[in-house]
Amino acid sequence: MPLARSLSITSLSGLEEWDEEFDLEDAVLFEIAWEVANKVGGIYTVIQTKARLTAEEWGENYFLVGPYVESNVRTQVELIEPTNPALKRAIDKMNSSGCKVYFGRWLIEGSPYVVLIDVAFTAWNLDKWKKELWDNFSIGVPWFDREANDAVLFGFLTAWLLGEYAAQCEEPPHILAHFHEWLAGLGLALCRQRQLPVATIFTTHATLLGRYLCAGSVDFYNNLADFNVDKEAGDRQIYHRYCLERTAARCAHVFTTVSQITAVEAEHLLKRKPDIITPNGLNVKKFSAMHEFQNLHAQSKNRIQEFIRGHFYGHLDFNLDKCLFLFIAGRYEFSNKGADIFLEALARLNYLLRVNHSDVTVVAFFIMPARTNNFNVETLKGQAVRKQLWDTAQTVKERFGKKLYESLLVGQLPDVSKMLSKDDFTMMKRAIFATQRQCQPPICTHNMLEDSNDPILTCIRRIGLFNSSADRVKVIFHPEFLSSTSPLLPMDYEEFVRGCHLGVFPSYYEPWGYTPAECTVMGIPSISTNLSGFGCFMEEHIADPSAYGIYILDRRYRGVDESCNQLTSYLFQFCQQSRRARIIQRNRTERLSDLLDWRYLGRYYISARHMALAKAFPDTYFYQPHDSDTAQGFRYPRPASVPPSPSLSRHSSPRQSEAEEDDDRYDEDAEAEKDRLNIRQPLTLPSKKGPALPYTLPGIYEILASVD
């Protein structure tokens, strides 16, 4: 089978190549997930951003497998005829047997091939397949659990597809199947039970039971070894789902997870230690703005300020130039995502700013989708009033400018008292009267369906943050995903993040954490925790993450009140920074973006795939884990977005006020040397076979060593 591929990982200048010589010419990779061309959660981002790198490695022999969802296919997939002859015969055979299987290209970067299976079309097989599941695995799935029913159908159909493909190959195939999460895991177990010639990998991005336990306000991480997992799953009526997930983890040739903290969780809950950690990356090129990222921050911040002017009309008694924008975003899990501790810390921060007579105002955004029925009328009115004021100012300015022009044209200085007419003053007075407001600015931008029981609104009522004039901390709850077409805040998520000053993600349960990672690659400081995969990753790679704008909150070894005090301290210290200090910090944060690039983190997926092939086909493939002692430092050029000195880089940084100028010079060479010394050496993750596997990235950790 022809394979046109470009192993970009091993082609990077200065990065040591690996010693394995894996011949992938006769190997085919199927990556199977419920979120292929079907956005549900974070796994969609993982697969979408990683697709280009994987397609470069595997070329024409890389296929993604997911469910057929017509609304998504219309906008994301170009349906074509299968290019692989054996796969075409397999799909035709399944379609003639009562299935509906589609083939096409996913219209994302890398344009990978996708095989989409219509799960609903084969629902008539559900009872038969459930019986087979019980006979072979002793797992019973209740009729009322629609998601689990979909998992059964999808699992049997993917196993059917892989088995049919193996049967249609003219030569004994070397098939590698990578399954993501429990919804796709049954297909893996069936491949092993049917003894198909398939090397299997199972990746759990978050354990089912772990998410449920954390949502139940239990002391999860301190009691991991003590949970009766069968009883806990049964009490939460997810025992059948838990069994599907555990079966996939136990049956896989290679079991991986996304972070060290989730590896500990999986070892206790799924009863298998992961073979390798595969951290989640990002396509950094998507976000890179080179030297313009500081200007993009200023532009996006101005757009947020426009929204603030309308939202707080009539109560705009604070200086927007000394206003800091904080935000938390993600799935609406009040405790798991740390919204509870964030609100409590905001109340304490409000007290500190008031007693210290600070002139800084903090606006905290909560971007968490919830059930609403429409926009809040008062919020819409605020934006309308702002626009009316702007139109009035533009009208008066045009009249003033015309009179000024005519006066200068005849060689006379204008009479200021005659520049504005009575009509102009009347128009301005009416505009001012329109800004009068009898109520406080709204907390929520939408009408909530369950206002009285909403966790965020209930907590705000308890702590008393009502956006009053005396409060130095204002709260805005936006229970909807951001969109550039919104009449309230017409900004995409990426643009909004760039305009904020700090992302706050004090999660209690966060297997990885894409939101702080996205902040990092856009040069925005963030607060994470040592219970999130991202926080653990940064702690293991960087000796002092806070020096780079990555604040790690301790939620594992401290109580809730202590963690809340620590978060309050971080927020208060951030509020005390000068504007120049924040610019320097954003520069340093943006430098870390290469740590999160798939070009580097994709190496762990390559290692997992090689390990699985060697286990499934020992006569053809051999895998020798790497010894981290042989890793050489990878020296790459200084990021173009970091100016030699923020005080001198007027063209690439927003203009500073004269009051904030000082005599300290920002020595880039000295800063880069400090950064180089601050990066920790690679750690290792023990492997069951042979030497240790490198857990940290060989060659990434001498960041900014090259400053010439």
Side-chain angles (χ1 to χ4, degrees), residues 94-105:
M94 291 183 67
N95 286 336
S96 64
S97 301
C99 302
K100 272 193 177 180
V101 183
Y102 301 85
F103 185 87
R105 281 194 181 274

PDB file of all heavy atoms in Angstrom, residues 94-105:
ATOM      1  N   MET A  94     -20.519  -3.877   4.134  1.00  0.00           N
ATOM      2  CA  MET A  94     -21.365  -3.492   5.266  1.00  0.00           C
ATOM      3  C   MET A  94     -22.651  -2.832   4.783  1.00  0.00           C
ATOM      4  O   MET A  94     -23.735  -3.102   5.324  1.00  0.00           O
ATOM      5  CB  MET A  94     -20.595  -2.543   6.192  1.00  0.00           C
ATOM      6  CG  MET A  94     -19.450  -3.196   6.954  1.00  0.00           C
ATOM      7  SD  MET A  94     -18.625  -2.062   8.087  1.00  0.00           S
ATOM      8  CE  MET A  94     -19.912  -1.755   9.301  1.00  0.00           C
ATOM      9  N   ASN A  95     -22.548  -1.979   3.771  1.00  0.00           N
ATOM     10  CA  ASN A  95     -23.753  -1.309   3.268  1.00  0.00           C
ATOM     11  C   ASN A  95     -24.738  -2.306   2.659  1.00  0.00           C
ATOM     12  O   ASN A  95     -25.959  -2.144   2.772  1.00  0.00           O
ATOM     13  CB  ASN A  95     -23.365  -0.249   2.241  1.00  0.00           C
ATOM     14  CG  ASN A  95     -22.743   0.982   2.883  1.00  0.00           C
ATOM     15  OD1 ASN A  95     -22.986   1.265   4.058  1.00  0.00           O
ATOM     16  ND2 ASN A  95     -21.944   1.715   2.125  1.00  0.00           N
ATOM     17  N   SER A  96     -24.224  -3.338   2.036  1.00  0.00           N
ATOM     18  CA  SER A  96     -25.112  -4.355   1.455  1.00  0.00           C
ATOM     19  C   SER A  96     -25.704  -5.270   2.516  1.00  0.00           C
ATOM     20  O   SER A  96     -26.640  -6.025   2.242  1.00  0.00           O
ATOM     21  CB  SER A  96     -24.338  -5.193   0.433  1.00  0.00           C
ATOM     22  OG  SER A  96     -23.290  -5.921   1.067  1.00  0.00           O
ATOM     23  N   SER A  97     -25.170  -5.191   3.745  1.00  0.00           N
ATOM     24  CA  SER A  97     -25.665  -6.037   4.841  1.00  0.00           C
ATOM     25  C   SER A  97     -26.602  -5.292   5.781  1.00  0.00           C
ATOM     26  O   SER A  97     -26.890  -5.770   6.883  1.00  0.00           O
ATOM     27  CB  SER A  97     -24.482  -6.596   5.642  1.00  0.00           C
ATOM     28  OG  SER A  97     -23.625  -7.362   4.814  1.00  0.00           O
ATOM     29  N   GLY A  98     -27.035  -4.091   5.381  1.00  0.00           N
ATOM     30  CA  GLY A  98     -28.012  -3.372   6.194  1.00  0.00           C
ATOM     31  C   GLY A  98     -27.443  -2.229   7.005  1.00  0.00           C
ATOM     32  O   GLY A  98     -28.120  -1.730   7.911  1.00  0.00           O
ATOM     33  N   CYS A  99     -26.241  -1.793   6.701  1.00  0.00           N
ATOM     34  CA  CYS A  99     -25.641  -0.655   7.406  1.00  0.00           C
ATOM     35  C   CYS A  99     -25.598   0.555   6.483  1.00  0.00           C
ATOM     36  O   CYS A  99     -25.814   0.446   5.273  1.00  0.00           O
ATOM     37  CB  CYS A  99     -24.226  -0.989   7.882  1.00  0.00           C
ATOM     38  SG  CYS A  99     -24.116  -2.409   8.979  1.00  0.00           S
ATOM     39  N   LYS A 100     -25.306   1.701   7.076  1.00  0.00           N
ATOM     40  CA  LYS A 100     -25.052   2.913   6.312  1.00  0.00           C
ATOM     41  C   LYS A 100     -23.713   3.476   6.765  1.00  0.00           C
ATOM     42  O   LYS A 100     -23.599   4.013   7.870  1.00  0.00           O
ATOM     43  CB  LYS A 100     -26.177   3.939   6.511  1.00  0.00           C
ATOM     44  CG  LYS A 100     -27.330   3.795   5.541  1.00  0.00           C
ATOM     45  CD  LYS A 100     -28.239   5.014   5.577  1.00  0.00           C
ATOM     46  CE  LYS A 100     -29.364   4.882   4.541  1.00  0.00           C
ATOM     47  NZ  LYS A 100     -30.248   6.074   4.570  1.00  0.00           N
ATOM     48  N   VAL A 101     -22.700   3.314   5.919  1.00  0.00           N
ATOM     49  CA  VAL A 101     -21.350   3.777   6.227  1.00  0.00           C
ATOM     50  C   VAL A 101     -20.938   4.753   5.145  1.00  0.00           C
ATOM     51  O   VAL A 101     -21.088   4.471   3.951  1.00  0.00           O
ATOM     52  CB  VAL A 101     -20.354   2.596   6.308  1.00  0.00           C
ATOM     53  CG1 VAL A 101     -18.971   3.093   6.708  1.00  0.00           C
ATOM     54  CG2 VAL A 101     -20.853   1.543   7.297  1.00  0.00           C
ATOM     55  N   TYR A 102     -20.425   5.906   5.555  1.00  0.00           N
ATOM     56  CA  TYR A 102     -20.040   6.962   4.626  1.00  0.00           C
ATOM     57  C   TYR A 102     -18.533   7.197   4.714  1.00  0.00           C
ATOM     58  O   TYR A 102     -17.910   6.999   5.764  1.00  0.00           O
ATOM     59  CB  TYR A 102     -20.772   8.267   4.953  1.00  0.00           C
ATOM     60  CG  TYR A 102     -22.277   8.159   4.899  1.00  0.00           C
ATOM     61  CD1 TYR A 102     -23.003   7.708   6.008  1.00  0.00           C
ATOM     62  CD2 TYR A 102     -22.984   8.510   3.755  1.00  0.00           C
ATOM     63  CE1 TYR A 102     -24.380   7.612   5.973  1.00  0.00           C
ATOM     64  CE2 TYR A 102     -24.368   8.420   3.709  1.00  0.00           C
ATOM     65  CZ  TYR A 102     -25.056   7.967   4.818  1.00  0.00           C
ATOM     66  OH  TYR A 102     -26.429   7.868   4.778  1.00  0.00           O
ATOM     67  N   PHE A 103     -17.969   7.661   3.606  1.00  0.00           N
ATOM     68  CA  PHE A 103     -16.533   7.950   3.559  1.00  0.00           C
ATOM     69  C   PHE A 103     -16.349   9.360   3.009  1.00  0.00           C
ATOM     70  O   PHE A 103     -17.072   9.784   2.097  1.00  0.00           O
ATOM     71  CB  PHE A 103     -15.814   6.945   2.657  1.00  0.00           C
ATOM     72  CG  PHE A 103     -14.316   7.091   2.636  1.00  0.00           C
ATOM     73  CD1 PHE A 103     -13.531   6.449   3.583  1.00  0.00           C
ATOM     74  CD2 PHE A 103     -13.686   7.871   1.674  1.00  0.00           C
ATOM     75  CE1 PHE A 103     -12.158   6.577   3.573  1.00  0.00           C
ATOM     76  CE2 PHE A 103     -12.310   8.012   1.650  1.00  0.00           C
ATOM     77  CZ  PHE A 103     -11.538   7.364   2.609  1.00  0.00           C
ATOM     78  N   GLY A 104     -15.384  10.092   3.563  1.00  0.00           N
ATOM     79  CA  GLY A 104     -15.148  11.447   3.076  1.00  0.00           C
ATOM     80  C   GLY A 104     -13.900  12.049   3.679  1.00  0.00           C
ATOM     81  O   GLY A 104     -13.087  11.361   4.301  1.00  0.00           O
ATOM     82  N   ARG A 105     -13.756  13.337   3.445  1.00  0.00           N
ATOM     83  CA  ARG A 105     -12.658  14.099   4.045  1.00  0.00           C
ATOM     84  C   ARG A 105     -13.237  15.093   5.041  1.00  0.00           C
ATOM     85  O   ARG A 105     -14.199  15.804   4.734  1.00  0.00           O
ATOM     86  CB  ARG A 105     -11.867  14.859   2.975  1.00  0.00           C
ATOM     87  CG  ARG A 105     -10.866  14.007   2.205  1.00  0.00           C
ATOM     88  CD  ARG A 105      -9.906  14.900   1.422  1.00  0.00           C
ATOM     89  NE  ARG A 105      -8.939  14.132   0.658  1.00  0.00           N
ATOM     90  CZ  ARG A 105      -7.786  13.685   1.146  1.00  0.00           C
ATOM     91  NH1 ARG A 105      -7.476  13.921   2.406  1.00  0.00           N
ATOM     92  NH2 ARG A 105      -6.950  13.005   0.381  1.00  0.00           N
TER      93      ARG A 105
END
